[in-house]
Every structure is written in structure tokens, then in C-alpha cells.
Amino acid sequence: MRNIDIERFVTAQDEHGIYDMALQEIKDGRKLSHWMWFVFPQIEGLGHSRMSRKYGISSLLEAKAYWEDDILHDRMVEMTDALLSHGDDSAEYIMGDVDAVKLRSCMTLFDIVSPHGVFRDVLDTFYDGERCDATLSRVKAELDYYNDDSAFERNGIDVNVRGFFEQSAHEAHYHTFEQCVATLLDLMRRGDSMQKMTAYYLWHKDFMPYRVSDVELSMTNRMQRLVTDLLENTGDKEAVNLLLGIYHKGDEVHGVMEAAEYFDDALATLMQNGTTAEAVLGYIREHSIAKPEESADEYVYNGVARPQYTPDRLSVLKPDEVFVFGSNLQGRHGGGAARVALNRFGAVWGQGVGLQGQSYAIPTMQGGVDTIKPYVDDFVRFARQHRDMFFYVTRIGCGIAGFKDEDIAPLFAEAQYEANICLPESFVAVIKPTFPPEVRQMMYGQMRTLVDLLKAFNAQRPIMGADDAMSRINEVLDANVRYGDETAMLAIRTMWALVSQYEQDGHTVDIDRLERDLHDYHRGNGWVVDGTMQGVMYRYIVSKLVKYIKFLNDFRRYESYQDVVDDLYSIPVNGCGSNDEWYYFSFGASTRYGSFRRIIEEEWDNMSRGGHLDNDLLEEVVMGRYQKALVRYGIRELIRRSYADVGCHPDIKRPKWRNTDNQMYGPYFRVEGGNIEKGCSDFRRYPFSSEEFEMRFASAVLDRDADYVRVGQNQWDELYIPCRDYTLPVYSLHRGKLHFDTEEEKREFIDKHRQQCS
């Protein structure tokens, strides 16, 4: 974060009496001269002229400092009052077209700093209350950070933190010097930077000169004292020179954010030397008052604690860690994170893509976001194939390349729930709320369908109890087995019609498009109406159908829609006669009569009003509690917080029983290494995996696939092994696709069984 410099605005306004002239122009109702940049400043980055860059507000924190400066505060109020006196005129008339846009940006920025005051009045008067979207986008990540819990709260430190930042405050005596410094170092090691923590502290305080000065002095003095203590306890010549360099840099600090940056740089430097790094870690272990790391908001991968988000600064990596940075195709690693990768983590000059040393390059300089996506997809595939590595993704493309978090973050939507990929917090803030792919693939699964069926029935005629609810559910689902599944046949015929049109138009296979078109095909024609029983079942059928096609596509790699149609004959369904009880679109008995019925019975009082079912309460109890927690924490943290082991199966996780009115109901998960599998059951009964039901039908397709051979693994299971192509998945007849921690492990497994190939 750039150092805060508000004096430049006072200097510019005072020069040649410009402020007095600007005020008079606004009082007269027309802006005539050039002073907009430093009287009504915008957030940095919206303008590109020299003056825009010079007077752009660098952050929300600098805007707060501007507003709380006595001179600038009074002048801003005086200027906005003068504007509001011409409320019958337009902003364009008073300011001119271009500066009217800048004025809205300025008012939006300061309305965040000081809401519901003069800035809101200007926005309401001249812009119908509409704020500047570009400004809101620029400051969103910073504002989200300030609105979240502090680093202290997130790590279990429930004390007044003033003493950690202001050494002259009486609160500084609540903890020893060693406790204050060690705790700050500990929080930085867990992923926060001193710059971010200082900004958070000042955002929630005020910019009184004594406070800002004390924070600046506290940062430099405490680091220099720590360095002095370390000097007294080391005889290593290299460590001594390093420590002396850190100490003398502290004498050159000017400004509160520069002091925080000095603290960050000092820790990074200390961690580069084995002697000082060991001393710092021991210091933290002995004196930090943060809650123990094993219970902090982080997670463990391959037996090592990792931060929840990519740290702002990475100076050292563990042997299995990789620094992911934005590059150019020519591999000229001259600036930003690329230069860090070159200097510290083994990046190779001239190599613009892929793994190099302990770094991984993703090109971002060759064009728009669409040109970056293939390289991000390749990286995610690489990470999935190398579970023995842990990847720190930096804010690629958001520096020299000129993109914003909002542009790049969505490219990593599938990566955010990979156990060995760590993303920047600003990326996660953009792509949330989302659901992880292992959950999203069955988002409209059986439980979701049962809830929506009950809603449809309840809208027709109120449901008066759990027995009434299950009776209506059973009637519909049993009918599909006994009398034929007309909705499934409608979905399949709709797919035939779409495929025929795709082939006429020459479209390549696009399963996501097929899914969208299947859902949209009947909108408005009266055949499938949202919220009705048939509408609910059609959505379920389409989701199941697409899941099966995607399952097949993993090894079939479709190039022709006709191949898709041919393979779907492996899931026979009868539209007018009886179906097998376990036909592909059936509901498992354990879901129908077990989990769902138990929830309805136990929670009836919490999901009913006046004796009958309330649809909103039903949604909240069965789905809402779980989905809200999933969005808030992500799947891994949710499992850590709210799930327990199942008996003697430590790899199987179930929701903890709370015995409260806020019990969360969610699926079972199997956690094996970096892989998370969502269960259709509890994994101890059929189906024993999330893909065993698909394998029941897909085995017929694999049996006739020339690229696979079926071999016995043991007396209980059989395998489908690729005969030639190592990139194809390996399948178990009962487990579905097998997951391997590394590509090498997968190759060894295939080779072990390949001698059985003819």
C-alpha cells in the first residue's frame, strides 16, 4: 500500500489561491478553470493523465486521512455545500460533462468513508442516488477486508489491540514487548501483512497526528529493538550483516505505511537466513499470544500447516511449495511477481509458461482475459496431477498487465477448492459465493429435488405433517417405476432435438451449452413449468443426464454428438411401461425413506406454521443452513468445523449432531488426501461411492471402448485400465474414477496392471 500523502492536496489548493477561485466558481454555478484533480479527487486508476496519477487517492485509507484532515475536511464541506445550493441545475451544467463524471466518482469514494452525509446528498441531488460502479469496484477488496474480522480476532486474540500499534498508549503495558512483537510476527507468518493490519487498525480509528506518528514510531522502534536482541544472541557473520542492514533501513523510514512496509520487508529478510529464521520462529513460539496454529483459520496439507490465502509477500518456500506468477510468453521476468520468481524461486529467463524451479508461469500479457484462460486451465490440470506440490497463486495479471481482480479471479473458480492451490484473498472475495465442483455437480440432486417437490405439493394443497409429506413424495416417485417415467423421456427427446439442430449447424460438442439449452428449451411452451411437479422432476432429470454425459466424456472425449446419443443407450428408461427399481433416474431408498423423512419428522416444528408446512422454513432447515455455511467457509473449512468422523472410518465425515434448533443437515463426505468425495449415501451402503451408480451403467460403455481393458483387482472389485494413453482416467467398477496424488503414482498403477492388456 502506497504511503499516505495528503499534504500534496493542501499544497496544490493553496498555490496561487486556486482553492478560493474554485470555491467562487462553484458558488457562481459554473466551473471554469482546472482544479478538479486535487479539489474533488478520485480513486487512483480511473484517470490516466499525469495530473490524475499524481492526485489519485491511493486507497480508502488515504481517502479517510483526507477527510479527517482539518483543512481538507472543511474545504470539502464548503465545496459540497456550494454545489448543493444549485440543486436545480444538473451536474453537467455546473461542472461540464467530463468533470460531472469525476464528481460522482469523488462523491462515491467519500460517501464510503463518511456515509449518509454531504456526499450522499450530492449523489441524491445530482445523480438520483446512483454511485460510481468503477469506484466501487476499485475499492471493493479493501472495503471487504475492513468489514471482516481483524487478523487478531481471526486468530483468537480477544483483547484491546491498541497497545500492539501505539507504544505510547497505556494499553501497551497490558502485554510485554516480546508478546506484542511476537504476536505481530505470528499473524504475518499466517498470511497477514503489517501494511494490511496497520491499515485495518487506522480505518477503525482516526487520523489524529499523534496516533499516526505513534504507529509509525512503534513499527520502526520495535523492529529495531528485535534486531538488536537478535544481534546480541548470534555470532554468525552473515546473520550479523543481515541484521545490521535491517536496522539501518529503519532510520530511513518516513510515513506510517512506509513503516509498516519496513516491518514486512524486515520479516521477509529475516526468514531468508537460516540462523535468523530459526530465531524468529522460536521467538514466536515462546511469546505469541495468538491461539495455537493447529486451531487457527488455516488448514493442513501433506502434514504441513498452510495459510488460508496466498500471503501478500512470499520470501521463502517450503520444499513442496510453488510460486505461481503472471508472465509474458517471451519469459522476460523483469518486474513484479515475475521478478520475485526469477530472483528467488528458480524462474528461467526466456521461459514464459509452466513449471520452472519452485515457480509456475501463467502468461497474462498476450491479449484479453480469454487468452489467459487456457493457461489457467492448464495450470489447474497440472496441480491436480501433482498432489505432492502446494501452489501459491499470486494476483496474476493484476499488476503490469493491467487487469483487475474481477477480470482474473473467475478464471480460478474451479481452482478455489483444490486442496493444493492457495488463492489470493481478493480472488476468493470475487468468486464467492460459489459451491465447490464436487458439491455443485449434484447441486440439483435428490435432496434438492425432494425439497422442491414438497414445495410444489404444498402450493397445491397444504401439507399437514411428515406422514402427509412422504406419502405424496412416494406416490410420484413410485409411479415413475411402475408406470413409466414420462419426464425422463421428455428430457431425452428434447436432447435428440437439440443434437439434431447442433449437427445441422456444425457445432462442436459443448456439454455446458447442451445443459443450458435443455433447461431453456421448454420455457414458455407450457410443457415444463417451473415450480410444478413436472418442472421439478424435469430439472432433476436434466441434471442427472448431464452428470452422466460429463462422466462419460472424461474418457470418451466426445467429438461427435451422435457418439453421445449412442452411449446414452446404456441408461435404458421406459416412458410408458415399468422401469427397474434401480434405473438411472430412480431415487435411492436410503434417501427417500431415511435421511429426508428423518429431517421432516425431527424438524417439523421448525418448518411449519399453523400446523402446515411453510416453504421458506423448509428451504432454510433442509438446504439453507448447509449452503450458507458452505459459502462462508468453503468445503474444507466447513468439514473441519462442522463434521465428525463416522465410527471407525476416519476418512468418512458426517455433520456433527448439535441437539439445537440450528442443526445443520448436509451430505456425507469421504476425504482421502487432497480429494473430497460427496456421497449419495454414507459410503457404508450402496452406492459405496459418489460414482458407483454411474459405473453401474457406464461399465457397458467401457467394456466396448478399445482404449480400455477390464482386469481383476481383487475378489470384490475390477478395474478399467487405459491400454495406451496415460492421460485417460483409471476406473474401479465400484468406486468410479480413481484419484492419484501424483502423475507418477498413476503411471506406476497403470503399468502394474497393464501386462494383462492383450
Side-chain angles (χ1 to χ4, degrees):
M1 183 177 287
R2 198 174 75 190
N3 216 17
I4 293 171
D5 174 23
I6 58 173
E7 286 302 315
R8 70 189 192 275
F9 296 101
V10 178
T11 300
Q13 291 178 14
D14 286 347
E15 191 173 17
H16 307 303
I18 289 179
Y19 172 74
D20 292 334
M21 180 176 62
L23 178 61
Q24 190 58 52
E25 288 178 10
I26 296 302
K27 286 182 175 180
D28 292 341
R30 294 296 293 271
K31 177 182 178 292
L32 301 174
S33 52
H34 302 294
W35 42 259
M36 191 71 185
W37 308 279
F38 44 81
V39 175
F40 286 129
Q42 300 172 271
I43 192 70
E44 188 177 62
L46 296 185
H48 304 290
S49 68
R50 182 181 65 84
M51 296 293 280
S52 295
R53 293 194 299 272
K54 180 177 181 179
Y55 293 107
I57 297 283
S58 63
S59 62
L60 281 176
L61 192 65
E62 187 169 60
K64 177 181 171 68
Y66 185 110
W67 176 240
E68 293 183 1
D69 178 82
D70 290 340
I71 295 174
L72 295 173
H73 176 278
D74 291 345
R75 288 178 176 179
M76 181 68 85
V77 172
E78 197 172 25
M79 289 293 289
T80 51
D81 284 345
L83 271 172
L84 291 168
S85 69
H86 299 284
D88 293 335
D89 296 325
S90 68
E92 290 76 13
Y93 176 81
I94 301 170
M95 307 296 297
D97 291 343
V98 174
D99 284 346
V101 175
K102 295 178 181 179
L103 177 65
R104 184 170 71 160
S105 172
C106 174
M107 295 297 105
T108 300
L109 175 63
F110 284 95
D111 183 50
I112 297 172
V113 172
S114 179
H116 311 300
V118 292
F119 308 114
R120 181 65 56 85
D121 292 340
V122 173
L123 290 169
D124 290 342
T125 300
F126 295 106
Y127 302 99
D128 294 327
E130 292 186 9
R131 302 204 287 177
C132 172
D133 290 337
T135 299
L136 294 174
S137 176
R138 288 266 174 185
V139 303
K140 181 180 184 304
E142 184 183 358
L143 184 61
D144 287 345
Y145 180 76
Y146 295 150
N147 288 336
D148 200 358
D149 291 341
S150 71
F152 293 85
E153 292 167 323
R154 284 186 272 110
N155 288 279
I157 305 172
D158 186 20
V159 299
N160 187 320
V161 301
R162 185 181 180 190
F164 289 88
F165 293 94
E166 300 180 50
Q167 62 185 8
S168 300
H170 72 274
E171 289 89 348
H173 302 295
Y174 294 171
H175 300 94
T176 66
F177 165 83
E178 290 79 11
Q179 287 175 325
C180 288
V181 175
T183 301
L184 291 172
L185 294 173
D186 197 4
L187 298 182
M188 293 164 66
R189 192 177 63 87
R190 299 186 188 194
D192 279 275
S193 69
M194 182 56 69
Q195 293 175 76
K196 290 179 69 174
M197 290 191 289
T198 301
Y200 187 100
Y201 178 73
L202 291 175
W203 177 261
H204 292 280
K205 292 292 185 178
D206 56 52
F207 266 81
M208 296 297 291
Y210 77 86
R211 186 188 311 281
V212 176
S213 176
D214 198 15
V215 173
E216 177 185 344
L217 290 173
S218 297
M219 295 300 103
T220 53
N221 290 350
R222 283 172 170 170
M223 179 53 69
Q224 288 182 322
R225 179 175 166 183
L226 171 66
V227 167
T228 300
D229 291 345
L230 294 176
L231 277 168
E232 293 175 353
N233 291 281
T234 183
D236 182 87
K237 184 176 180 181
E238 182 182 349
V240 168
N241 290 334
L242 180 145
L243 290 166
L244 288 173
I246 293 174
Y247 187 94
H248 292 310
K249 283 184 179 179
D251 295 335
E252 302 169 2
V253 167
H254 299 287
V256 64
M257 297 313 298
E258 191 173 313
E261 184 179 16
Y262 164 67
F263 210 99
D264 284 328
D265 290 342
L267 177 60
T269 304
L270 289 169
M271 298 306 292
Q272 291 177 34
N273 177 278
T275 301
T276 55
E278 183 179 352
V280 168
L281 293 176
Y283 191 86
I284 291 172
R285 285 193 294 269
E286 182 177 356
H287 300 294
S288 174
I289 66 170
K291 66 181 178 181
E293 195 165 15
E294 60 268 21
S295 63
D297 286 339
E298 59 180 18
Y299 72 100
V300 174
Y301 185 79
N302 282 351
V304 179
R306 320 279 181 169
Q308 187 175 2
Y309 306 110
T310 299
D312 290 344
R313 292 171 178 268
L314 279 168
S315 56
V316 291
L317 294 174
K318 296 179 179 66
D320 64 341
E321 293 178 341
V322 178
F323 182 82
V324 182
F325 66 99
S327 68
N328 53 71
L329 289 170
Q330 295 75 31
R332 296 177 183 141
H333 309 315
R339 187 170 185 82
V340 174
L342 179 70
N343 292 338
R344 296 182 179 177
F345 304 129
V348 178
W349 187 271
Q351 182 177 339
V353 184
L355 186 70
Q356 36 199 296
Q358 278 189 270
S359 65
Y360 188 104
I362 298 178
T364 61
M365 302 284 288
Q366 65 277 4
V369 173
D370 58 324
T371 70
I372 302 173
K373 185 178 188 303
Y375 294 102
V376 174
D377 293 343
D378 287 345
F379 159 68
V380 174
R381 281 191 289 270
F382 181 86
R384 288 169 177 164
Q385 293 166 1
H386 295 81
R387 298 289 185 184
D388 54 332
M389 299 179 180
F390 187 84
F391 299 86
Y392 288 109
V393 177
T394 61
R395 294 178 62 244
I396 70 160
C398 297
I400 299 172
F403 296 101
K404 296 182 292 187
D405 293 321
E406 291 78 5
D407 302 321
I408 301 297
L411 302 181
F412 289 90
E414 294 297 325
Q416 67 171 325
Y417 294 107
E418 293 298 326
N420 61 334
I421 297 178
C422 185
L423 297 178
E425 186 174 8
S426 58
F427 278 18
V428 176
V430 171
I431 54 185
K432 281 187 176 182
T434 64
F435 295 98
E438 61 269 12
V439 177
R440 196 182 329 116
Q441 66 177 351
M442 281 299 290
M443 185 60 69
Y444 207 86
Q446 293 189 0
M447 195 67 77
R448 172 78 268 170
T449 302
L450 291 170
V451 169
D452 285 351
L453 280 175
L454 279 191
K455 288 182 178 181
F457 293 142
N458 197 44
Q460 294 174 348
R461 177 167 52 86
I463 293 174
M464 305 307 293
D467 289 340
D468 185 16
M470 295 310 299
S471 175
R472 297 200 216 178
I473 290 285
N474 295 339
E475 183 178 345
V476 171
L477 300 183
D478 289 343
N480 292 340
V481 175
R482 293 199 304 269
Y483 307 119
D485 196 335
E486 295 179 357
T487 308
M489 288 306 303
L490 174 62
I492 292 172
R493 291 191 182 106
T494 303
M495 189 196 70
W496 290 343
L498 288 169
V499 165
S500 177
Q501 186 62 52
Y502 294 156
E503 292 188 329
Q504 288 181 30
D505 296 340
H507 292 309
T508 57
V509 175
D510 184 339
I511 300 173
D512 290 332
R513 175 180 179 170
L514 175 62
E515 181 176 19
R516 291 193 302 270
D517 289 349
L518 280 168
H519 283 301
D520 293 341
Y521 191 87
H522 296 290
R523 294 193 186 280
N525 65 15
W527 290 9
V528 177
V529 179
D530 289 342
T532 65
M533 184 274 290
Q534 187 180 36
V536 171
M537 291 304 298
Y538 181 81
R539 186 176 177 186
Y540 167 72
I541 296 295
V542 167
S543 297
K544 285 277 288 183
L545 185 63
V546 170
K547 183 191 178 190
Y548 187 64
I549 294 172
K550 288 183 175 180
F551 181 85
L552 296 178
N553 189 53
D554 274 352
F555 66 91
R556 295 289 283 163
R557 299 176 178 177
Y558 290 118
E559 296 181 359
S560 163
Y561 277 109
Q562 188 55 51
D563 290 340
V564 177
V565 172
D566 291 343
D567 285 349
L568 287 182
Y569 284 108
S570 60
I571 50 170
V573 57
N574 198 323
C576 52
S578 63
N579 284 294
D580 181 270
E581 183 179 359
W582 289 100
Y583 82 111
Y584 182 65
F585 301 107
S586 66
F587 276 64
S590 61
T591 299
R592 288 170 58 190
Y593 301 101
S595 301
F596 190 68
R597 182 180 187 111
R598 178 172 61 84
I599 295 172
I600 299 298
E601 290 175 342
E602 293 178 354
E603 296 275 0
W604 179 256
D605 290 342
N606 293 323
M607 61 176 63
S608 61
R609 281 197 180 103
H612 62 79
L613 184 68
D614 182 284
N615 284 355
D616 291 337
L617 295 177
L618 169 69
E619 176 71 25
E620 174 63 21
V621 170
V622 183
M623 307 298 294
R625 296 171 184 169
Y626 169 72
Q627 290 180 352
K628 288 175 182 176
L630 185 61
V631 169
R632 179 178 181 185
Y633 298 114
I635 187 62
R636 297 184 187 281
E637 180 64 9
L638 176 60
I639 291 173
R640 188 181 75 82
R641 287 171 175 265
S642 303
Y643 275 68
D645 295 346
V646 174
C648 58
H649 301 273
D651 58 324
I652 302 176
K653 311 295 181 181
R654 60 165 178 80
K656 293 178 181 177
W657 179 251
R658 289 187 172 88
N659 194 27
T660 69
D661 287 340
N662 199 33
Q663 170 66 30
M664 185 193 75
Y665 300 96
Y668 281 64
F669 291 100
R670 179 156 49 205
V671 182
E672 295 178 320
N675 185 61
I676 294 180
E677 181 182 1
K678 172 181 175 291
C680 300
S681 66
D682 64 3
F683 296 102
R684 295 177 296 173
R685 67 193 78 181
Y686 183 82
F688 294 95
S689 77
S690 63
E691 295 180 338
E692 185 172 5
F693 201 55
E694 277 67 37
M695 283 300 300
R696 178 187 179 97
F697 305 94
S699 58
V701 182
L702 282 160
D703 282 336
R704 57 181 172 81
D705 193 311
D707 290 324
Y708 280 86
V709 64
R710 183 169 175 168
V711 300
Q713 183 181 28
N714 51 49
Q715 59 180 315
W716 300 286
D717 200 4
E718 292 182 278
L719 300 172
Y720 288 93
I721 301 293
C723 287
R724 291 169 291 275
D725 188 349
Y726 285 104
T727 67
L728 287 169
V730 178
Y731 292 95
S732 155
L733 186 61
H734 297 306
R735 291 288 299 272
K737 184 165 66 175
L738 298 184
H739 298 274
F740 301 89
D741 288 336
T742 66
E743 194 65 21
E744 181 181 0
E745 180 186 345
K746 178 183 176 184
R747 280 176 169 266
E748 291 176 355
F749 187 89
I750 292 174
D751 288 340
K752 176 182 175 182
H753 295 87
R754 188 170 274 181
Q755 68 268 18
Q756 299 184 47
C757 299
S758 56

